[in-house]
Amino acid sequence: MAGTPPPSGGFAIPRLPSPSSSRPRHSINNSFSFGPQNLVDSLAEANTSGASNPRRTYLDPSRSILQTSPLRSSPRLPRRTKTTASRHPLANDTTDVFQDDADDEDDEEGHEWGIVDRMRLWRHDALMQHLYDSAAFWGDKIVSWTNDPNDAFWLAQTYFLKHEYSRAERLLTRPFPTTPPRTGPLASLHNGTFQPPFAPAVHAKGKGREMAPPLSGSPTDEIAPGVQRLPVGPGEMIDVAIQFEEGVSRLVDMSVACRYLAAQCQMRQGKWSDALEMLGESNPFRNSGRGGPDAPNMDGGVKIEASMCNLRGLLMLKLNRGDQAKACFMEALALDVKCYEAFEQLVDGEMMTPEEEWQFVKSLAYREQTPTDADFVRLMYQSRLRKYKHTEEHAEIRRRLVDEYGLGDNPDVLYSFADALYTQLRWADCFAVTSRILGLVSIHKATIPLHVACMYHIKHLHSKLFLFAHDLVEREPEAATSWFAVGMWYMCVEKYPEARTYFSKTSLMDPRFAPAWIAFAHAFSMEGEHDHAVTAYSTCARLYTGSHLPLMFVGMEHMILSNLKLAEEALAAAQHMCDSDPLLFNERGVMAFMNEDYESAAKLFHDALHLADALEKSKLPWVSTYINLGTALRRTGRLAEAKREYQRVLEIDYRNVAALSFMGVTEHLLGNIESAIVKYHEALSIDPINGYVLELLDMALETSADMGPFGTKGGPPGGEERWEQTMREHRDKGKQVARSELTADDEMSL
């Protein structure tokens, strides 16, 4: 970072033309509002002054804040720097949140280290070592000596890292002097005469000219005589506007980065409306001529405009304005594809349907914004999308990330594999991948819900889930995923009230954690509280407008409650959002079956199995769908096809009681009474007290008894004479066989 010592003649902040052309732009008289419009006006004025204006960079929304790393050289105008090794890189004066004049080159050549330079070195080094109290202590003295807005920005950053958000906000929003103090290491003389930095302007009018200087006998003068102070208190901004024409401003009016940091502080304090006013209800730079997706990034970092849109989206979520939040996140990602937080909110928050998010992510301006890394960024984003569609494209994306970019053991790429396996209902394979991820990084927020869900589905891993949940709570007690794992273990042991307690705690810790909301509703459903389950699922549908799962679950609950009309509406809405989920087709088939539309039900069950095959899903979880298809075919009279579907189930799980029972029913209807009796007995050998199968077996046995020993009524087939002749032939053949066996035995004995 190129060093820029304070000029010997005092610090001079860059001055931009005022939109009103009556006062300097950095005068606090311009506005008493915290809105960003004066920043936009200043940017517009800077644009009209020429493209090479060096003093508008701290108002440029297309720049980043790369200066948070003191080791990174800042995007200043080219200037000569000292090549001597005596100057430490961390002692460089400030960040480029504010652009200093380029006229300091000659001063820098002959500059020697002073107390301010040394203090800046201490501040930056303390920040890098996470000694935030030390950084704040020395940074505060630097600001008192220099009145440098860059130093003030660094001090506010330090307060933010210390979680002292109110203190940082106060520094950024209070009146701030833009000229150096008249006492201290950088005190300056003007024409040999000491000039008070806060003296009223010569051409001041009205009360500004009549304002009396502070009383010399005040207690503050006794503590620090000769020090001029800005007014403080509720009316400070009015008093400053009256007293000072220039030399005083607010940091939030001087820099986009300061305004963004102030809004962050307000959000951390829960002042969501104030933070939204600070940023603006919409992007103020949208029509300024400097922003937009196609605007090149000036320094290769993340555009501050995109960061502000992302923060605006978070505030919209806090204020329960979901549609506007979605628009803000989409705008942030469109402005800068490197803004991963906006992508994460859109995808993990399921704000768009699977097809919408695929098309949106695919259409981003990767090559315009990152020409060299466009393919890599696009592949990484597409690998995180939901896997209900574009199966072949997802497989190709994962292959390229592994083969071309060498990310075969990267946690995020491995998570893409695990997500695909979970979508295919391959619990064991998914668990193997998630175990690898957590072995690499210990905590991976996206992976933990998948890992826990796999242990829930694999019964012999329930004890391991108990240990895993305890370990998470010990290591990450403040993480929502830890308590989610605890709730899932209570689900395993069917303690649903306790499970809901922990799911509720999880949702309070992270209101946007979707698995906790879904599991909370599942707990009601499994306990038989279907009305409460419908309410919980409906809340999920309102929070996650791009997910079809809550609506599908609402339809399933209404079917249990026999509210078929409401169930049909919910399932139709879910189908509109996602037309490629096999489970949804299965539920729609059940709906058609309950409406006695067996042909439609059979078609929907067949479509569900076809989609499952296309997604390479495991066969075992779809046993119920095969049984449903066979039952629908049996109801339509297509008994041979139904028998084939039941046989497929028995090939997957030969101990499936439902398949054995329905196979017996099908054989019974086909007239194969003996085969039906055999299947009923096989089913009862697994489930001896199944009342339905026992009743079916009684019916088959009665039918068999009525038919006689020959299986048909009216005597043996072919008549009695034919039967006697057949029996004589069998006896004669038996005698011949016995005689030949006796002869063979005699020969062996000899």
Side-chain angles (χ1 to χ4, degrees), residues 609 619-631 641-663:
L609 294 172
K619 299 291 186 183
L620 186 59
W622 297 100
V623 163
S624 297
T625 305
Y626 280 108
I627 294 176
N628 292 342
L629 176 58
T631 304
E641 297 179 41
K643 182 178 177 180
R644 185 174 64 248
E645 298 302 329
Y646 295 139
Q647 187 60 42
R648 288 183 180 178
V649 175
L650 294 176
E651 292 173 359
I652 299 172
D653 181 11
Y654 68 94
R655 290 177 58 84
N656 190 287
V657 175
L660 289 169
S661 303
F662 288 135
M663 179 69 85

Side-chain angles (χ1 to χ4, degrees), residues 396-696:
E396 177 64 18
I397 287 168
R398 293 191 294 271
R399 185 198 64 77
R400 290 189 61 188
L401 288 173
V402 172
D403 295 343
E404 298 180 18
Y405 295 97
L407 296 176
D409 209 28
N410 180 268
D412 289 326
V413 176
L414 288 175
Y415 169 76
S416 178
F417 281 95
D419 191 27
L421 293 170
Y422 189 85
T423 304
Q424 297 167 10
L425 308 183
R426 296 164 58 181
W427 319 122
D429 296 335
C430 180
F431 178 74
V433 178
T434 55
S435 298
R436 174 63 181 175
I437 296 172
L438 297 179
L440 290 172
V441 296
S442 179
I443 297 294
H444 194 263
K445 182 180 178 181
T447 299
I448 288 177
L450 290 185
H451 192 68
V452 171
C454 290
M455 287 190 281
Y456 172 81
H457 287 293
I458 304 174
K459 292 185 178 180
H460 68 270
L461 293 178
H462 287 180
S463 59
K464 194 168 186 176
L465 174 57
F466 176 82
L467 298 174
F468 181 72
H470 270 274
D471 185 51
L472 282 179
V473 171
E474 289 179 1
R475 285 186 294 161
E476 300 286 336
E478 300 300 324
T481 52
S482 302
W483 300 103
F484 170 74
V486 176
M488 288 301 297
W489 183 80
Y490 278 107
M491 290 282 283
C492 292
V493 296
E494 300 181 1
K495 293 184 177 180
Y496 302 118
E498 292 85 350
R500 286 197 298 272
T501 299
Y502 286 103
F503 292 144
S504 179
K505 180 175 182 177
T506 302
S507 61
L508 288 174
M509 297 175 70
D510 185 358
R512 298 295 300 174
F513 189 63
W517 286 99
I518 294 292
F520 182 78
H522 284 345
F524 278 119
S525 179
M526 291 181 177
E527 201 175 16
E529 298 286 346
H530 300 295
D531 290 328
H532 294 306
V534 169
T535 303
Y537 287 132
S538 300
T539 303
C540 294
R542 180 177 58 82
L543 292 175
Y544 308 101
T545 55
S547 176
H548 69 287
L549 294 177
L551 289 173
M552 183 180 68
F553 295 141
V554 168
M556 295 167 66
E557 294 300 315
H558 280 307
M559 280 193 288
I560 296 174
L561 296 171
S562 299
N563 300 327
L564 300 185
K565 185 64 177 177
L566 295 175
E568 190 172 359
E569 292 177 358
L571 293 176
Q575 175 74 16
H576 179 73
M577 298 175 66
C578 180
D579 58 357
S580 56
D581 186 358
L583 181 59
L584 179 56
F585 277 84
N586 178 77
E587 298 306 321
R588 292 182 61 215
V590 174
M591 185 73 233
F593 189 92
M594 295 178 70
N595 288 326
E596 299 182 359
D597 186 0
Y598 303 122
E599 289 290 348
S600 299
K603 184 180 183 306
L604 288 168
F605 291 137
H606 184 272
D607 292 343
L609 294 172
H610 178 71
L611 286 173
D613 291 337
L615 293 175
E616 301 178 358
K617 290 181 176 288
S618 172
K619 299 291 186 183
L620 186 59
W622 297 100
V623 163
S624 297
T625 305
Y626 280 108
I627 294 176
N628 292 342
L629 176 58
T631 304
L633 292 171
R634 178 166 54 82
R635 287 297 185 96
T636 59
R638 298 151 67 179
L639 300 178
E641 297 179 41
K643 182 178 177 180
R644 185 174 64 248
E645 298 302 329
Y646 295 139
Q647 187 60 42
R648 288 183 180 178
V649 175
L650 294 176
E651 292 173 359
I652 299 172
D653 181 11
Y654 68 94
R655 290 177 58 84
N656 190 287
V657 175
L660 289 169
S661 303
F662 288 135
M663 179 69 85
V665 172
T666 306
E667 295 285 7
H668 202 152
L669 293 173
L670 288 170
N672 302 326
I673 305 300
E674 297 299 327
S675 298
I677 292 173
V678 171
K679 294 301 179 183
Y680 292 147
H681 277 295
E682 291 179 3
L684 290 171
S685 68
I686 301 171
D687 186 6
I689 59 173
N690 192 313
Y692 297 105
V693 180
L694 287 170
E695 186 175 354
L696 289 169

